[in-house]
Amino acid sequence: MSTISLPDESPMLRREFIYGVATSSFQIEGAKDARTPCIWDTFCEQPNAIADHSNGAIACEHVKYWQQDVAMIADLGVDAYRLSIAWGRVMNVDGSINAQGLGFYRNLVEALVAKGIKVFVTLYHWDLPQHLEEQGGWLNRDTAYAFALYTEVVAKALGDRVYSYATLNEPFCSAYLGYEEGIHAPGKVGQANGRQAAHHLLLAHGLAMKVLRRCVPDSLCGIVLNFSTAYSASTREADVQAARKGDEYHNHWYIQPLLEGRYPDILNDLDAQSRPQVEEGDMAIIAQNNDFIGVNYYTRAVYKDDGHGWFEQVVPQGHALTAMGWEIVPDAFTKLLVELDQRYQLPPLYITENGAAFDDQLVAGEVVDQPRIDYFNSHLRAVDNAIRQGVDIRGYFAWSLMDNFEWSLGYSKRFGLVYVDYATQQRTLKHSALAYKALLSNRL
Ligand code: IFM
C-alpha cells in the first residue's frame, strides 16, 4: 500500500496543524422519525430527483451507531471531527426544543471531547426544516432570524465544549443548486430566487455570528465556503472575461460580502429583478469578523463565453477524473488559496472539506483505493505549497469519514475513508483510511 506523505520540513507535520474527518447530519444520521422533516426528505420523494431513487431515512444509521463511529474516528488518530447539526432534530415545528435530539448531540460532543477530539460543528448543512420551506424557506427573510434562534439553542446547549462553530456549509450550494438551478432541495429555479436565497443565507450567517459571540466567546466561529478555481477555456478575451465572471458569480459572491461588506461588481450585470433585495444595514450584519473561513475544494471550473457576454462551464478535458466526473487538479487548489490570500484580508483558513469519490470495491474485506490515496497525497501537498507561499492555513479535514448519501446522486458515489456496506451497516477502513492514519501517526 502506498502512503500519503509530506515533505519533511512541512509545517503541516507540526502538531498544531489540525487534521480531521468530516460528515454532515442528513448524509449519515438516518433516524428520520426522530426529527421534523426537512427539505431533502421532500426532495427525495420527487420522481427522478435522486439518481438511485434513495433517500436519507436510514443512511449510515449514525444515530444508532454513533458510539461505534466515535471509536472509529478516534482510532484514525485525527485531532478533530467536523459534524453538522440537523436543525429539525433540535427544534420542533412549534419552536420548542426537541430534548432527545439535543441530547443526542450533547452526548456525541461529550464522547468526542472525552477522547481528546476537537469538535467542529456546522449549524446548517442544507437540511432546512420543511415547515420553514413552506413559509418560503431561504426566500423568506424570516428564515435568517429563525436560524439565529436555533443557533442560540445549540450554542447554549453545547457551549464551548465545541471547539469551532461554522454557521453555514457552502451557501453557494444551498442558494445556487437549491434555489436557482433546482438540482438540490428544495428544487426551485430562477436567478432571482438564487440571488435572494444567497442574500438571506449570508444574512443568517451574520445574525448567527452575533449570537455565537455572545453565547460561546471561547469557541472559534466562522463559516464554510466552497470554491472551484476558475479557469478560462482559451486565451480569447471573451473567454477570459467569462472565467472572471464565473469566478465572481460562483466564488466571490459569497466571500466578498463577508470580508468587504459588498457583493462583487457582477451584481450590476444582472437584470434589476434578479438582484437581491438588500435592506439597509444588511451588509454590515453580514460582514462580521470571522475567526476563520473554512474552504471546501474538490476541483476547478473551466469557463467560456456563452455568446451573450455571460459565462458557460465547459466539459473538463486533459486531467484524470473522479467518479463524480470532476477533474483532479491539485495545482488549482494551491492557486485558489494563494489568490484568495492576495485578494482579501483573510482570517485563518481551515480546509474543511477535500476528497474524492471513486468506484470502490470491497474484496475479501479490503478496499484498495489507490486513486483516493493519490488524491489526498497530491492535495495535501497543494495545501503545503500554499502555506509555504504565506497562506495561513490551520487545518485539513478529509471528506468524508465514511461513505454516505451524496445528495442527488444518492448512495451511488462513495467519498468515504471508510467503506459502508449499507445492507449490514458494516464499516471497513479503506486503504486510504490506513494511509491517512499513518500520516497522522508519523507527525513530530
Ligand atoms: O458530499 C458533499 C458535502 O455534503 C458538501 N461538499 C461537497 C461534498 C461532495 O459533493
Side-chain angles (χ1 to χ4, degrees):
M1 181 186 81
S2 78
T3 54
I4 302 173
S5 66
L6 284 160
D8 284 347
E9 300 305 314
S10 173
M12 292 168 70
L13 290 173
R14 297 197 195 119
R15 276 284 164 185
E16 62 266 22
F17 190 87
I18 292 176
Y19 285 93
V21 285
T23 61
S24 89
S25 45
F26 191 83
Q27 292 179 275
I28 66 164
E29 283 182 354
K32 176 177 182 277
D33 294 342
R35 56 164 173 76
T36 68
C38 75
I39 54 175
W40 274 94
D41 295 315
T42 312
F43 192 65
C44 289
E45 284 168 11
Q46 292 180 17
N48 303 322
I50 311 298
D52 61 3
H53 310 290
S54 63
N55 58 48
I58 296 172
C60 305
E61 286 193 82
H62 173 65
V63 167
K64 182 169 173 190
Y65 295 113
W66 68 272
Q67 283 156 309
Q68 169 189 324
D69 289 339
V70 167
M72 184 171 77
I73 294 164
D75 176 58
L76 288 173
V78 293
D79 309 305
Y81 175 50
R82 175 172 177 247
L83 63 104
S84 82
I85 309 269
W87 189 338
R89 198 178 291 289
V90 164
M91 308 284 290
N92 296 317
V93 174
D94 64 3
S96 61
I97 294 171
N98 177 339
Q100 197 190 344
L102 196 54
F104 165 71
Y105 293 114
R106 213 185 254 123
N107 292 338
L108 179 59
V109 168
E110 288 301 344
L112 289 160
V113 170
K115 291 203 177 285
I117 295 168
K118 293 182 169 62
V119 183
F120 281 62
V121 157
T122 300
L123 289 156
Y124 184 71
H125 197 125
W126 310 354
D127 38 5
L128 184 72
Q130 179 60 30
H131 68 96
L132 292 177
E133 180 57 33
E134 277 150 27
Q135 308 299 316
W138 290 111
L139 300 178
N140 183 345
R141 194 177 165 86
D142 292 346
T143 300
Y145 290 86
F147 180 69
L149 291 177
Y150 151 66
T151 296
E152 180 151 358
V153 169
V154 175
K156 283 187 171 158
L158 304 182
D160 60 13
R161 289 186 301 288
V162 169
Y163 183 82
S164 157
Y165 288 90
T167 53
L168 308 177
N169 179 70
E170 302 181 351
F172 158 86
C173 294
S174 302
Y176 183 73
L177 302 181
Y179 285 85
E180 190 160 331
E181 290 287 298
I183 56 172
H184 274 193
K188 295 219 161 91
V189 293
Q191 191 171 50
N193 283 336
R195 297 308 90 193
Q196 195 59 56
H199 183 66
H200 289 152
L201 281 152
L202 291 171
L203 182 66
H205 160 75
L207 294 168
M209 282 298 288
K210 289 180 181 227
V211 172
L212 292 169
R213 294 305 189 200
R214 176 164 46 81
C215 298
V216 283
D218 296 330
S219 300
L220 291 182
C221 299
I223 185 170
V224 171
L225 305 177
N226 61 303
F227 299 88
S228 296
T229 323
Y231 285 74
S232 167
S234 79
T235 53
R236 259 185 0 124
E237 182 53 21
D239 290 341
V240 172
Q241 287 309 322
R244 184 186 58 74
K245 287 181 184 172
D247 195 23
E248 300 276 290
Y249 199 72
H250 290 319
N251 293 325
H252 296 285
W253 194 281
Y254 303 89
I255 190 168
Q256 191 167 340
L258 299 173
L259 297 176
E260 296 179 352
R262 66 184 184 90
Y263 284 108
D265 293 341
I266 198 171
L267 174 80
N268 302 317
D269 293 1
L270 305 189
D271 297 338
Q273 71 272 13
S274 293
R275 295 182 199 163
Q277 285 173 25
V278 178
E279 292 193 7
E280 203 181 330
D282 283 3
M283 299 314 288
I285 294 172
I286 290 170
Q288 302 293 310
N289 278 333
N290 294 290
D291 296 325
F292 72 93
I293 287 182
V295 172
N296 293 356
Y297 171 86
Y298 291 88
T299 190
R300 66 171 186 164
V302 182
Y303 297 100
K304 70 171 188 181
D305 178 61
D306 74 343
H308 307 281
W310 195 242
F311 57 87
E312 185 181 315
Q313 217 171 314
V314 302
V315 179
Q317 271 172 358
H319 292 94
L321 305 178
T322 70
M324 298 290 280
W326 295 347
E327 281 184 291
I328 302 174
V329 197
D331 289 351
F333 196 7
T334 308
K335 177 170 148 66
L336 169 79
L337 294 164
V338 170
E339 287 181 358
L340 286 175
D341 191 51
Q342 286 165 350
R343 176 162 169 170
Y344 296 109
Q345 283 288 112
L346 292 173
L349 302 180
Y350 287 85
I351 308 305
T352 32
E353 286 181 28
N354 178 235
F358 291 104
D359 294 327
D360 302 317
Q361 304 295 330
L362 178 66
V363 179
E366 285 192 66
V367 179
V368 184
D369 56 338
Q370 189 59 42
R372 186 173 289 104
I373 295 178
D374 296 342
Y375 184 97
F376 282 126
N377 199 38
S378 57
H379 287 73
L380 281 159
R381 284 166 179 266
V383 176
D384 173 69
N385 192 347
I387 295 173
R388 287 166 194 260
Q389 292 184 57
V391 189
D392 182 0
I393 303 169
R394 307 270 173 102
Y396 176 95
F397 290 78
W399 183 269
S400 176
L401 164 66
M402 57 183 157
D403 298 333
N404 57 52
F405 178 77
E406 178 54 25
W407 307 110
S408 51
L409 297 169
Y411 298 96
S412 65
K413 303 295 171 199
R414 294 180 177 272
F415 273 91
L417 289 170
V418 174
Y419 185 93
V420 178
D421 177 339
Y422 295 110
T424 61
Q425 291 299 347
Q426 168 116 26
R427 278 81 157 127
T428 304
L429 268 61
K430 301 178 191 175
H431 278 208
S432 57
L434 302 175
Y436 195 53
K437 180 175 171 175
L439 169 76
L440 272 43
S441 69
N442 287 337
R443 287 175 293 170
L444 306 173

